[in-house]
Amino acid sequence: MAIACVTTRASAGVEAPEVKVEVHLSNGLPAFNLVGLPEASVKEARERVRSALINAGFEFPTRRITVNLAPADLPKQGGRYDLPIAIGILAASGQVPLQSLKEMEFIGELALSGHIRYCQGLLPAILAAKRQGHGLIMPLDNRHDAELVGYGAVRFAAHLQNLSACLQGQTRLPGISSRLEWLPPEPQAPQPCLSEVLGQYQAKQALEIAAAGNHNLLMLGPPGTGKTMLASRIMPLLPPLNYDEALEVAALHSVAGLDIKPEDFLRRPFRSPHHTSSAISLVGGGSIPKPGEISLAHRGVLFLDEIAEFPRKVLDCLREPMETGEVVISRAAAKLTFASRFQLIAAMNPSPCGDADSQSRATPEQIQRYLARLSGPFLDRFDLTIEVPRLPQGTLTQTAQQGENSQVIAARVKRARDIQLGRQGRLNSELTGTQLKQFSGLSGADLLFLEQSVVKLGLSVRSFHRLQRVARTIADLQQEPRAQRSHLAQALGYRAMDRLLARLAQQ
């Protein structure tokens, strides 16, 4: 009787729980049994491992082989268990020393020739091995994932023969350097500039406020007024991610099967799904839960163009993640949590025909039905709603540069964000009601003015707090130590949707 135990990692969202691959060889009729809640792709490992060992020049034991993937209540899927199963068989049969498996983890899919293939979503496994202080042997084709983490105890194997020679002390597998010399200090790719947008000075100012405080922004305007162009130009205003934030984003993309290029590692994500997207594609889910668009936009921007064309039920699925910063996907087999702290930028027409003024061909009732596609609680999640009107005559023929460029505005945004982080340790959009009382600096008279305005406009308590957050951000951009009534009045000016709905109610 011979037993070997090999450590590997499963995939459970952005987590990588430890799995023990126990291999038992016993006398009896030759058989290969695989237990421990394996799915079809894992059960097929029996044939892949058998052929890989034989074609790599190893002896496949003609004995009764039992492989247990523990814990047994954790579902296993994918080809990542091929390599640890093969190593376990080699160790149990004495072809590699058992001692070499201590404090080592193995992960990878095997080809029939014995080559070790690329596996999807290994970044969480690398992070988990680093936390445990274990060595990790993984496919050479996954080198890019290991370079993102920069863990020096990772080794890469391209073939079973090379790996066996390493475990027997005959050679050494390649690894990575401890320093990420390839990583650029900041994103280097050229970005569109805000000065390219003609006119729309109020919209540019609102975009700067949204970037400085991480506020959600809704733009209303006829077709062709520059809403999409404005939204795409918020990215140069945002500071790059720090290393820990970039790893969070990279782990979510890795689980979703997306690769992050080195030049994009520190760049905040920008996701723009089509309005035909389903709730699962937007929020996440599936039989094997994967991150949705809101999680892929974590620490970045989610842009919903033509937001009124999204199904109302799909948009309402965003309400809870927008408040909590995470989404919980519950299935019969597992309950997974994906981070989704994103900034929502949305654009829409004010009516079915595109206009809501005297040029509109739609009746007030038709416009109200169109706007009702967005529920009140969902609209309440926007800190800023602005109008993006048609440009006045003569604007299109101007040759002079239209306002400040993105670099100048980005410097102000970074300065305002640094003020917020230094004062309260978080951005203004994340402040709770208690923290607002402590850090907003508003006087009792200013709060009374704001309360009266909220009551007159018929706004919610949530809007009362959101207006304070926007006012605090405006004060930070102006380097004012306290938010004042003028900042509140400016924040109240960014309520275009409330004014539009009130005007339609009076018609």
Side-chain angles (χ1 to χ4, degrees), residues 35 65 176 229 231 275 331-332 347 364 377 411 418 426 429 440 455 475:
V35 297
I65 304 173
I176 62 171
M229 181 180 287
H275 62 258
R331 295 292 182 267
D418 290 341
R426 59 181 62 190
S429 63
S440 70
V455 172

Side-chain angles (χ1 to χ4, degrees), residues 52 109-117 158-160:
E109 181 179 338
L110 289 177
L112 299 184
S113 61
H115 284 87
I116 304 174
R117 285 178 167 166
H159 197 278
L160 273 176

Side-chain angles (χ1 to χ4, degrees), residues 39 77 280 285-290 331 333:
E39 294 191 356
Q77 60 271 339
I280 289 179
S287 57
I288 301 175
K290 293 289 185 71
R331 295 292 182 267

Side-chain angles (χ1 to χ4, degrees), residues 382-398:
F382 286 99
D383 302 324
L384 306 159
T385 61
I386 61 169
E387 292 186 54
V388 185
R390 285 192 171 89
L391 297 175
Q393 186 175 358
T395 305
L396 298 177
T397 56
Q398 291 181 1

